[in-house]
């Protein structure tokens, strides 16, 4: 009987250690915009779409490409390239629309290419300071490293707030 308790105790300890290890990991969907690597917390990603017809809307901010109809729901498409690099977006075969969900609202982000989902230990994530964020209008919440690339992890709340204020 004591052996059973010991084995059960060891199994629970191993399980709690594994859960603790998972708690130290953040997952990001990585993608590129103008050859720069960006990331979005995986929990916020709803789906990834091949580019579809984007309907332009007159008199909206230039960073909003337009809207798409996603299974009956009208979703705005944000062009981060226009905001970060001041260049017009061109859609190529590897381009994708990353549909994110924030506060029960969906929006799409047009990216040049989706790369992969990466797992990053929280101790290797550097949260940005005001000095670093100035170039990206405080839209970058942290920086992490994956392989030989630095990944700028976007703060979706700041992005949505920025585009909401500029409508």
């Amino acid at each position: 009987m004591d052996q059973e308790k010991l084995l059960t105790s060891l199994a629970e300890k191993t399980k709690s250690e594994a859960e603790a290890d998972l708690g130290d990991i953040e997952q990001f969907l990585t993608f590129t915009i103008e050859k720069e690597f960006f990331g979005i917390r995986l929990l916020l990603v709803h789906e990834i779409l091949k580019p579809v017809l984007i309907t332009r809307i007159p008199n909206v901010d230039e960073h909003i490409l337009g809207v798409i109809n996603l299974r009956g729901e009208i979703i705005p498409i944000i062009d981060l390239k226009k905001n970060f690099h001041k260049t017009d977006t061109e859609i190529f075969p590897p381009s994708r629309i990353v549909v994110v969900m924030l506060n029960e609202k969906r929006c799409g982000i047009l990216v040049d290419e989706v790369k992969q989902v990466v797992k990053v230990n929280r101790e290797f994530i550097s949260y940005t300071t005001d000095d670093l964020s100035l170039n990206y209008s405080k839209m970058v919440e942290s920086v992490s490293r994956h392989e030989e690339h630095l990944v700028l992890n976007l703060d979706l709340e700041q992005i949505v707030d920025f585009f909401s204020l500029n409508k």
Side-chain angles (χ1 to χ4, degrees):
M1 191 82 171
D2 290 329
Q3 231 178 0
E4 280 183 36
K5 287 182 182 179
L6 179 63
L7 289 174
T8 304
S9 172
L10 285 174
E12 287 175 5
K13 185 175 181 181
T14 304
K15 183 180 175 187
S16 66
E17 286 174 355
E19 289 172 353
D21 288 345
L22 286 176
D24 291 338
I25 300 288
E26 289 279 347
Q27 293 185 38
F28 296 95
L29 175 70
T30 59
F31 55 88
T32 58
I33 297 175
E34 284 291 313
K35 299 180 183 169
E36 287 186 84
F37 281 76
F38 293 90
I40 295 177
R41 290 183 192 282
L42 189 60
L43 292 174
L44 300 175
V45 176
H46 185 261
E47 62 187 292
I48 301 168
L49 307 171
K50 288 185 176 182
V52 295
L53 177 66
I54 299 172
T55 305
R56 291 284 298 153
I57 306 243
N59 300 322
V60 295
D61 189 74
E62 65 180 0
H63 306 299
I64 304 293
L65 281 176
V67 295
I68 64 170
N69 184 339
L70 181 64
R71 294 181 290 281
E73 184 178 355
I74 303 302
I75 297 178
I77 305 299
I78 297 171
D79 182 6
L80 291 179
K81 187 185 292 187
K82 188 77 168 177
N83 190 54
F84 290 160
H85 299 285
K86 309 297 183 210
T87 60
D88 291 327
T89 294
E90 293 183 52
I91 297 177
F92 297 106
S95 298
R96 295 290 180 263
I97 296 172
V98 178
V99 178
V100 295
M101 188 154 194
L102 187 64
N103 301 328
E104 299 182 22
K105 292 188 179 186
R106 289 188 185 100
C107 69
I109 299 172
L110 184 65
V111 302
D112 290 343
E113 185 176 7
V114 170
K115 291 299 189 179
Q116 63 186 7
V117 173
V118 298
K119 295 178 182 179
V120 180
N121 194 311
R122 282 194 178 137
E123 66 186 51
F124 297 114
I125 298 173
S126 300
Y127 289 89
T128 59
T129 61
D130 288 340
D131 297 336
L132 180 61
S133 299
L134 287 176
N135 292 338
Y136 290 108
S137 303
K138 300 189 182 210
M139 291 184 197
V140 175
E141 74 175 355
S142 64
V143 178
S144 57
R145 178 176 284 288
H146 178 68
E147 295 173 352
E148 70 276 0
H149 303 287
L150 284 178
V151 179
L152 303 173
N153 301 312
L154 298 176
D155 184 344
L156 284 183
E157 288 184 10
Q158 290 291 333
I159 290 170
V160 170
D161 285 349
F162 176 80
F163 289 108
S164 295
L165 292 174
N166 287 319
K167 284 185 180 179

